[in-house]
Amino acid sequence: ELQHLKYQLQPHFVFNILNNIYSLIDTAPKTAQETLHKLSKLMRYMLYYAKKDSITLAEEIDFIEKYIRLMQLKHDEKVKIDYRFSELQDKSYSIAPLLFVPLVENAFKHGVSTQDVSDIFFEFYLSDNKLIFKSENSNHPKTSTDKSGSGIGLENLTKRLELIYPSKHTFHFGVLDGKFIAELQIKLENYG
């Protein structure tokens, strides 16, 4: 079941990025080229690291930072994107790969409006051997007629967490004061 969930995640991720590149081809061809180049680097990570049961926290954070920077290329100044990944003292903890991608994808997919100013914020930090990841974004939910996504991201993540970290995680998400907020806490163990 876990392997099946991983296989769902990878095409879902690629599909979202390819949609972004497609939207840039006519309006910003140079940016589309840069985005495609950056996508190839992320695909290398997905091919080699996603197959592993665990990777270092440093590797996962590096991937998430690259992914956020890739998504920043698509958006103009109306979309305020900020992230704070505190200087984690020890990045040698192990973590399952690609756990945070659905949360980052959702923030960009549902947190950006074509008309209104939008805010997206991500945060990673450690507290008492728990990794805490928070995402907060403007809430611009898709309409029922918008078929641009499959809706499997959060469901897939919930199932993966139950399989990989039973009784070692908490995951909450919802809308508060017009913002969609997600928080994932995982009890970590030292790497290998």
Side-chain angles (χ1 to χ4, degrees), residues 31-184:
T31 303
Q33 287 178 334
E34 291 172 30
T35 305
L36 194 55
H37 179 70
K38 290 180 182 205
L39 173 60
S40 69
K41 291 180 178 180
L42 293 178
M43 290 300 301
R44 184 171 292 116
Y45 179 91
M46 302 236 358
L47 286 171
Y48 298 111
Y49 288 89
K51 293 178 183 177
K52 298 180 178 185
D53 291 334
S54 65
I55 57 172
T56 66
L57 178 56
E59 291 166 328
E60 184 70 0
I61 288 174
D62 182 59
F63 174 78
I64 294 298
E65 283 183 299
K66 286 178 181 171
Y67 180 59
I68 292 169
R69 286 196 300 271
L70 177 72
M71 296 301 285
Q72 284 175 317
L73 291 174
K74 178 186 175 188
H75 300 290
D76 61 21
E77 64 279 350
K78 284 188 358 183
V79 181
K80 295 180 171 77
I81 302 165
D82 191 19
Y83 59 95
R84 184 173 34 238
F85 298 166
S86 66
E87 291 301 315
L88 301 173
Q89 306 297 24
D90 186 355
K91 292 185 183 179
S92 65
Y93 286 102
S94 66
I95 191 84
L98 304 175
L99 284 178
F100 308 99
V101 168
L103 298 175
V104 175
E105 282 182 327
N106 269 12
F108 283 101
K109 185 175 175 184
H110 300 289
V112 176
S113 167
T114 54
Q115 292 88 22
D116 302 322
V117 172
S118 304
D119 295 301
I120 298 175
F121 176 72
F122 304 105
E123 183 176 27
F124 265 118
Y125 61 95
L126 281 173
S127 177
D128 298 325
N129 279 6
K130 285 185 186 171
L131 176 64
I132 299 160
F133 178 81
K134 292 182 180 180
S135 70
E136 182 177 308
N137 56 269
S138 303
N139 188 37
H140 303 289
K142 300 291 180 190
T143 64
S144 59
T145 58
D146 185 346
K147 304 296 183 198
S148 64
S150 61
I152 65 167
L154 294 178
E155 181 181 331
N156 185 317
L157 175 59
T158 300
K159 288 179 183 176
R160 285 186 72 211
L161 289 166
E162 289 168 2
L163 291 169
I164 301 168
Y165 297 104
S167 305
K168 292 183 180 180
H169 78 280
T170 59
F171 179 42
H172 306 285
F173 57 89
V175 177
L176 180 65
D177 297 328
K179 299 271 187 190
F180 183 86
I181 300 168
E183 181 176 309
L184 173 56

